[in-house]
Every structure is written in structure tokens, then in C-alpha cells.
Amino acid sequence: MPVHMTKNIGILTSGGDCPGLNAAIRGIGKAAQGAFGMHVEGFRDGFRGLMENRTIVLDREALSGILTVGGTILGTSRDKPYRMLIGGKEMDVTDAIIANYEKHHLDVLVCLGGGGTQKNALYLKEKGLNVITLPKTIDNDVAMTDVTFGFDTALEIATEAIDRLHSTAHSHHRIVVVEIMGHRAGWLTLAAGIAGGADVILIPEIPYEVEKVAKAIRDRSRSGRQFSIVAVAEGATSKQEAAAYEVAELKRQKAKTKEERKKAKAALADWEARHEGNTLRLARELEVLTRLESRVTILGYVQRGGAPSAVDRLLATRLGTACAELIHEEQFGVMVAARGDSTEAVPLEKVAGKRRTVPRDHPWIQSARLVGTALGD
Ligand code: F6P
């Protein structure tokens, strides 16, 4: 480990981008330099930039004016240290990453990311590096933190979209099925669905029956409301498809031979491919079952773009400055979690490989049911 007095911090952003990343980089950087006299540099494009030694100095000038800017000034990628695609081949680049960490005399590597990044960070910790992570993602699915930055901004965007879809669905007496991101977690869809007053909310944690969704829409029609908004999470599935997934996943876990593993992986890939058109299929089925015209809106990457909300700027700054304090105290191997108005250092072992999904008895679900929203179950 280095013997210098000034601490050297390396920062990278990894996984899908989200609003608030620059606010977090600024929070870490300004506190580290201003309050603790540390040297801060960034690595471009996630673990790939660290492996390729592509850096950017994060001095006062670089950190100025980025609080409100969307995306990440560092660039990002979904690359993993132990399996990176190089020249069409998957390679383990851990040694190159460790060599660059040492070359820059880093005291710590700060990784800003979601679930995948937490795993990669733990992997590097186990290889002997000092790491600290911050939880970011619009999906809000990182374990052991109250919330992730990026979520609030995406929630605002998705809610505004639902508001706008309401008026056109109303004018045309249509069903509008709006697909919302969130990977395998329903937080964003549930929250935006409640805030936007969706009539049906479908999330991965509660597999649905199409006939029940159709019935909820027909009931609305009968009571004079000839339009409906269906907020569907990209990971939501019917009960039937959820059962098929479970069978395939169980086979993968139980596979003993290479052949069995290959077969099980292929079955899961088939399932994923089938799932891709799920929202369009659902809209068509609802049209047949309700005889109401249906339209689909896939919000997609709009939810990840643009300036962070005030809530995300505040959260990212709080987590960033707390991160600098932890580095000053030499507390490594942790994620800086949001806990109420404060923060908490959580060991990476408790975070990595875990996903925070919506519990079926979560108060938001109860609220949705109490205002008469159908959840398809
Ligand atoms: O994790 C954020 C997220 O936007 C998910 O909601 C979505 O499933 C995924 O990333 C999309 O990933 P990519 O940017 O690799 O297409």
C-alpha cells in the first residue's frame, strides 16, 4: 500500500447511467479536495477505462458546473473486470486493473453503480484493493440502502409521461399501456403508477393474469370510464410466464454437467427473447378481451436522461460527501447507503449479489389497492 501522505482517490461510474452521477462525483471530489486535501482522478468508461488507463483529472475546474448535468462526465460501460470483451474475446483483465490501481498510487477506488457494480467492487476488494461504492440506478433495486440516486428523477419523468398519456387516452377512449423501466424490480412502475393515477399497475413481484387485467378495464367501462392507463414494468410477467421462468431457473441451478448447464442457459435465453415483446402482446390481448382500442408507449431511455431532480442532487451530494469522510477515516470495503436523513457504511458483502425488490406487503402496494388500482392478481 502507498506510503504518501496525500490520499489519492480514483473514481469510476459503471453500469447504466442515471441522473445524479455528476452530482455524486462533484460531492466526493469537492469534499475530498476542499476538506481533506486529497487528489482525485477519474477513470473513463467504467472498469474498461481503468484497465486501459484512460484517466481524467478531477480538479476544481473539472468539478465545476456539473451538479445539474445529466449522464456522467466520466462515461460508463457494463464491463466486468473478470470478463471483458476484447477484440471479440472475453478476457479476465483483473491483473491490468490492479496494475493501474498501483501505478496511480490509489488509496481507494470509488465505484458509482447499481447491482452489477457492487458485485464487481466486492470482487476487487477480495483481490486486495480498497474500494468504496455509492448506490445509483433508476431501478432503486440496490440492497441495504433506503433509496438509490437516479430513482427520483426517473420517477418524475415517468409520472409526467403518465399524466400526458391520460389526456390522450381519455380523448380517444383508449387503453394506453405504458412500459416503464426497472429491470427485475417494480419500484419505478409502482411509484409512477400511483403518482400518475394509473388504473392498472403490473410489476415483476406480482405476476398477473391477463383476464383479471381485462376485467378491471371492463368494469371501468361499465361505470362510464371508457379509457384506462396500464403501467407495466419492463420485467412484469403473466403468472404462466413467471412459472416457466422459475422452472428454467431451477434447472440452471440444479445443472450438474456442462451439457445440462448449456441446455438450461438456452432455455433461459429463449424465455428472455419471448419476454421482449411482452408489452405489445399484452396490449393486443387487452384489445381483444375488452374491445377497446389499445396503444403502447415504451418510455425507455428517456427515463435515464437529462438533469437530475433536486431530490437526486441532494441525495447524490450527501452520499458523495459522506464517501469522502469515510475515505478520510480509512473505512473501506463498504457501500455508502442512504439511511433516513443520514448515511451508513454497509459492508459490500451484505450488498453484492442481492436485489431489493418490492415486498408484496409493502405499504405502497397497500395504498395502490386501497385507491382501487388493479394489480392483475
Ligand atoms: O439499470 C438501469 C436500466 O435502465 C434498467 O432499468 C434497464 O433494464 C437497463 O438499465 C437497460 O440497460 P442498457 O442500458 O444496457 O440497455
Side-chain angles (χ1 to χ4, degrees):
M1 285 296 126
V3 286
H4 48 267
M5 294 299 285
T6 306
K7 281 199 171 63
N8 291 324
I9 306 178
I11 306 180
L12 59 80
T13 52
S14 175
D17 71 342
C18 74
L21 278 167
N22 290 326
I25 295 168
R26 173 181 173 273
I28 304 164
K30 286 208 167 189
Q33 284 166 26
F36 304 117
M38 300 173 192
H39 172 81
V40 189
E41 60 192 312
F43 291 92
R44 295 187 188 272
D45 304 331
F47 294 102
R48 183 170 291 266
L50 177 55
M51 183 271 292
E52 291 172 349
N53 197 24
R54 288 188 286 118
T55 62
I56 161 174
V57 175
L58 293 175
D59 55 13
R60 281 173 68 92
E61 205 184 326
L63 295 173
S64 172
I66 64 170
L67 173 66
T68 61
V69 179
T72 160
I73 58 163
L74 297 177
T76 186
S77 72
R78 292 203 183 272
D79 292 307
K80 301 175 179 65
Y82 50 88
R83 206 172 56 224
M84 204 176 283
L85 206 60
I86 295 168
K89 269 178 85 180
E90 283 187 343
M91 291 174 72
D92 182 343
V93 299
T94 310
D95 288 347
I97 281 179
I98 295 175
N100 282 330
Y101 178 99
E102 279 164 3
K103 184 172 171 182
H104 287 270
H105 304 289
L106 294 185
D107 292 276
V108 61
L109 176 69
V110 183
C111 306
L112 278 54
T117 305
Q118 310 300 327
K119 269 202 240 175
N120 291 328
L122 177 61
Y123 171 80
L124 290 179
K125 176 192 170 182
E126 285 165 353
K127 294 287 168 190
L129 304 193
N130 290 333
V131 286
I132 295 191
T133 66
L134 259 62
K136 70 90 227 203
T137 166
I138 64 164
D139 304 338
N140 201 27
D141 62 349
V142 176
M144 302 297 291
T145 180
D146 289 355
V147 67
T148 59
F149 61 86
F151 175 66
D152 181 77
T153 311
L155 173 56
E156 287 294 327
I157 296 167
T159 303
E160 195 202 328
I162 294 177
D163 289 349
R164 290 178 183 277
L165 292 168
H166 248 117
S167 59
T168 174
H170 187 263
S171 308
H172 285 269
H173 318 295
R174 282 174 175 159
I175 302 170
V176 171
V177 181
V178 51
E179 184 186 287
I180 295 170
M181 273 187 173
H183 199 218
R184 295 246 160 80
W187 294 107
L188 191 53
T189 306
L190 180 60
I194 294 171
D199 307 296
V200 179
I201 298 176
L202 304 176
I203 60 172
E205 294 85 347
I206 305 180
Y208 59 83
E209 287 175 45
V210 184
E211 180 45 50
K212 291 205 172 147
V213 177
K215 183 177 179 305
I217 294 171
R218 283 196 302 263
D219 288 349
R220 278 176 54 78
S221 293
R222 257 181 237 120
S223 67
R225 287 159 300 171
Q226 301 297 326
F227 74 96
S228 286
I229 301 287
V230 179
V232 55
E234 62 178 350
T237 57
S238 66
K239 281 193 177 160
Q240 215 179 354
E241 281 300 307
Y245 184 86
E246 259 177 45
V247 170
E249 176 57 22
L250 211 69
K251 276 194 182 150
R252 188 191 64 82
Q253 285 169 17
K254 285 192 173 160
K256 289 201 176 71
T257 64
K258 205 173 164 190
E259 195 52 36
E260 280 174 358
R261 261 193 301 278
K262 208 171 145 193
K263 251 178 128 179
K265 275 191 179 169
L268 279 171
D270 273 358
W271 189 95
E272 296 284 355
R274 223 175 30 243
H275 184 73
E276 264 178 22
N278 192 52
T279 303
L280 293 169
R281 244 187 337 266
L282 173 67
R284 273 200 302 272
E285 285 170 355
L286 291 178
E287 200 163 58
V288 173
L289 292 169
T290 63
R291 296 174 186 223
L292 283 173
E293 213 177 17
S294 299
R295 291 287 187 272
V296 169
T297 298
I298 295 177
L299 295 187
Y301 296 90
V302 164
Q303 296 159 103
R304 276 188 7 202
S309 66
V311 169
D312 273 336
R313 292 178 204 181
L314 174 61
L315 175 61
T317 304
R318 287 200 298 117
L319 296 178
T321 53
C323 175
E325 287 180 305
L326 288 172
I327 295 170
H328 178 64
E329 292 158 11
E330 305 198 343
Q331 202 175 329
F332 303 127
V334 294
M335 176 182 80
V336 190
R339 195 72 69 228
D341 284 341
S342 188
T343 62
E344 190 184 314
V346 181
L348 280 174
E349 290 78 0
K350 291 191 172 175
V351 181
K354 300 182 175 84
R355 182 183 298 129
R356 194 174 78 99
T357 53
V358 183
R360 287 182 81 116
D361 60 351
H362 193 275
W364 294 1
I365 290 188
Q366 175 72 350
S367 278
R369 291 195 197 278
L370 287 174
V371 294
T373 311
L375 299 181
D377 57 342

